[in-house]
Amino acid sequence: MSRYHKEIFKRNVSDPTNKLGESSVCILGLGGLGSNIAVSLARSGIGRLVLVDFDRVEESNLNRQYYNLTHIGMKKTEAIVDVIRSINRDIVLKVIDKKIDRDNILEIVDKESIICEALDDAMTKSMVVGEILSNYSDKFVVAGSGMAGIGDANSIKTVKRFKNLYICGDDASDFEEVDGMMAPRVNICAGHQANIILRIIMGIE
């Protein structure tokens, strides 16, 4: 049993089956949402993460993504593995260095029961959610939508839309006030996604 799971057991003796340590989550996209979600889940004692992205870390990413100057130029899959390994040596990590599209999405998620959608492109986000929900009835999808700018942090919420779909965000853009993504609201939305994933795993939802 890892030190993470020992700490969880000390705080929560009602989890004798070690649900977190036996769980697996697939994160689609390792940008502002995905990188922060991955780190939160790794800190929480998740047993396995499947990390999917095709992009490289750029300096412009550092205002909201869980990377630092040493990661610039690295593939995001490699950079997030470096970050997670500095936090949790026990977690099993699988990386898929691919750009997600309609031809490969089902192959990527086929063996996963919890999929976290953390993509930047609105059309790809919609396609991913639609394909998964249309082809599987036994998978949970946790998606992010609407976290731009510096609007009211309390407007970011988690909403259950369908039987197996949770949407985290405020469903709105705040570009009128501040043009672009800002770390606080991105991190808050990522926290919502990570938290609902933990609740699903623990059987609370």
Side-chain angles (χ1 to χ4, degrees):
M1 183 185 297
S2 76
R3 62 188 180 280
Y4 288 87
H5 302 139
K6 287 178 182 177
E7 183 64 21
I8 290 166
F9 271 96
K10 282 193 294 184
R11 297 183 181 183
N12 183 10
V13 295
S14 64
D15 183 25
T17 59
N18 191 15
K19 292 179 181 177
L20 293 176
E22 295 174 353
S23 64
S24 177
V25 177
C26 178
I27 302 176
L28 305 176
L30 299 172
L33 290 176
S35 62
N36 285 287
I37 292 164
V39 169
S40 289
L41 294 178
R43 292 188 190 277
S44 301
I46 294 293
R48 178 176 179 267
L49 290 176
V50 179
L51 306 163
V52 187
D53 206 307
F54 73 99
D55 209 355
R56 291 182 180 271
V57 179
E58 300 178 5
E59 187 173 0
S60 61
N61 300 151
L62 302 186
N63 72 329
R64 66 196 184 282
Q65 302 183 17
Y66 208 108
Y67 304 114
N68 58 54
L69 290 169
T70 67
H71 295 126
I72 292 175
M74 292 176 63
K75 292 181 178 179
K76 288 184 178 178
T77 47
E78 296 174 351
I80 201 64
V81 166
D82 180 64
V83 171
I84 291 172
R85 287 290 180 226
S86 71
I87 298 167
N88 182 345
R89 295 190 301 268
D90 303 306
I91 191 170
V92 176
L93 300 175
K94 177 182 179 181
V95 299
I96 300 177
D97 187 23
K98 286 184 179 180
K99 185 173 183 178
I100 298 167
D101 58 34
R102 195 177 299 274
D103 294 330
N104 62 25
I105 181 59
L106 298 184
E107 177 186 356
I108 289 171
V109 305
D110 185 59
K111 292 181 169 55
E112 305 303 319
S113 60
I114 300 176
I115 298 100
C116 182
E117 180 279 310
L119 300 164
D120 295 329
D121 180 70
M123 291 185 64
T124 306
K125 290 166 75 75
S126 177
M127 179 277 292
V128 163
V129 172
E131 287 292 314
I132 296 173
L133 295 181
S134 297
N135 286 276
Y136 301 99
S137 61
D138 59 343
K139 298 185 187 299
F140 289 96
V141 178
V142 176
S145 175
M147 77 295 295
I150 56 171
D152 182 7
N154 293 323
S155 67
I156 297 176
K157 303 181 185 301
T158 300
V159 178
K160 186 175 183 179
R161 287 289 172 82
F162 302 110
K163 176 184 175 183
N164 292 340
L165 174 63
Y166 295 82
I167 304 290
C168 303
D170 63 8
D171 283 332
S173 173
D174 203 23
F175 286 153
E176 294 81 6
E177 296 180 10
V178 174
D179 186 12
M181 298 289 185
M182 304 294 284
R185 280 171 60 87
V186 171
N187 290 341
I188 291 167
C189 188
H192 271 262
Q193 288 185 263
N195 189 64
I196 196 65
I197 288 169
L198 296 179
R199 290 174 61 84
I200 292 169
I201 292 169
M202 298 298 290
I204 297 172
E205 289 297 317

